């Protein structure tokens, strides 16, 4: 396993639509292992492959509070969304140190392939439902800041761009 670099906004790759996985083989398993390690290292609860620059429809998550409970979603599709919404304050490893309230359907049903390529259906609610929807947005090139007002989004992107442009200061 290896910790990979997480891409941050603004970055064109993060806006790319990820492609379906044709078969779950060793390469995909290796990728999921790396993604999980990268996510744990960054202290996140979810990561999509595109966040480490790989445009494949793969997500890893762990919302366990006491022990590690890794979850793997390959080619996830949302079947049912609740018309009722819930609000969480969201952050994203690709939008470092920025948080905002986002409204999403409070429950959803997701069909996906698991780590071993087996078809699964998961009924999600609460944090799990929000997290899976946030991660699935990444597969479409969508970030949570896209749900904010134009002004708020612009301010966040500007702040992130400034952080990126910063050069190291040396005193000699
Ligand atoms: Ni994210």
């Amino acid at each position: 396993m290896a910790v990979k670099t997480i891409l941050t906004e603004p970055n064109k790759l993060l806006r790319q639509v990820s492609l379906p996985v044709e078969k779950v083989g060793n390469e995909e398993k290796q990728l999921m292992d790396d993604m999980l390690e990268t996510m744990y290292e960054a202290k996140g609860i979810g990561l999509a492959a595109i966040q480490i620059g790989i445009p494949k429809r793969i997500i890893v998550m762990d919302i366990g509070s006491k022990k590690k409970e890794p979850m793997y979603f390959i080619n996830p599709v949302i079947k049912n969304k609740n018309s009722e919404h819930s609000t969480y304050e969201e952050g994203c490893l690709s939008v470092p140190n920025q948080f905002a309230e986002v409204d999403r359907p409070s429950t959803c049903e997701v069909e996906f392939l698991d780590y071993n390529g087996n078809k699964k259906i998961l009924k999600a609610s609460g944090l799990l439902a929000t997290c899976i929807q946030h991660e699935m947005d990444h597969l479409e090139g969508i970030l949570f800041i896209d749900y904010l007002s134009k002004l708020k989004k612009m301010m966040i992107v500007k702040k992130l761009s400034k952080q990126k442009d910063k050069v190291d200061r040396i005193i000699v």
Side-chain angles (χ1 to χ4, degrees):
M1 290 210 275
V3 172
K4 304 286 183 184
T5 303
I6 298 174
L7 306 178
T8 57
E9 171 81 346
N11 185 308
K12 273 187 188 157
L13 271 172
L14 290 171
R15 298 313 191 164
Q16 198 168 315
V17 176
S18 294
L19 300 172
V21 172
E22 278 168 25
K23 84 175 219 314
V24 184
N26 286 337
E27 197 184 312
E28 286 71 27
K29 286 181 180 172
Q30 172 78 55
L31 172 62
M32 288 187 277
D33 293 345
D34 289 348
M35 284 168 63
L36 199 70
E37 199 183 353
T38 304
M39 184 191 82
Y40 285 141
E41 172 82 14
K43 302 206 169 12
I45 57 171
L47 189 79
I50 193 64
Q51 292 180 272
I52 56 166
I54 309 219
K56 287 186 179 179
R57 301 185 83 81
I58 298 179
I59 290 164
V60 296
M61 279 171 38
D62 190 336
I63 59 164
S65 52
K66 292 196 183 83
K67 55 179 175 61
K68 283 187 178 174
E69 291 169 20
M71 302 175 90
Y72 308 89
F73 300 89
I74 302 158
N75 299 340
V77 178
I78 289 190
K79 290 292 180 186
N80 285 305
K81 276 187 190 178
N82 196 336
S83 54
E84 271 174 47
H85 283 220
S86 60
T87 308
Y88 277 90
E89 187 174 44
E90 294 187 20
C92 178
L93 293 174
S94 293
V95 189
N97 304 318
Q98 306 298 320
F99 301 90
E101 287 188 355
V102 180
D103 246 28
R104 298 183 189 271
S106 58
T107 66
C108 62
E109 218 173 277
V110 190
E111 201 178 282
F112 60 99
L113 300 178
D114 68 7
Y115 189 84
N116 295 308
N118 298 318
K119 203 174 193 177
K120 291 272 167 72
I121 292 180
L122 176 77
K123 281 186 182 157
S125 61
L127 175 63
L128 180 59
T130 291
C131 194
I132 186 81
Q133 290 175 71
H134 173 118
E135 296 312 324
M136 284 181 67
D137 274 352
H138 278 298
L139 307 183
E140 306 304 326
I142 297 168
L143 298 174
F144 80 92
I145 52 172
D146 299 347
Y147 296 110
L148 309 179
S149 71
K150 257 191 187 163
L151 183 67
K152 204 161 180 198
K153 181 179 167 182
M154 218 174 68
M155 278 165 54
I156 289 177
V157 175
K158 211 169 153 188
K159 225 185 272 176
L160 293 171
S161 306
K162 257 191 205 157
Q163 282 172 14
K164 270 192 186 178
D165 292 342
K166 236 190 250 166
V167 292
D168 291 332
R169 174 192 285 169
I170 56 161
I171 303 173
V172 290

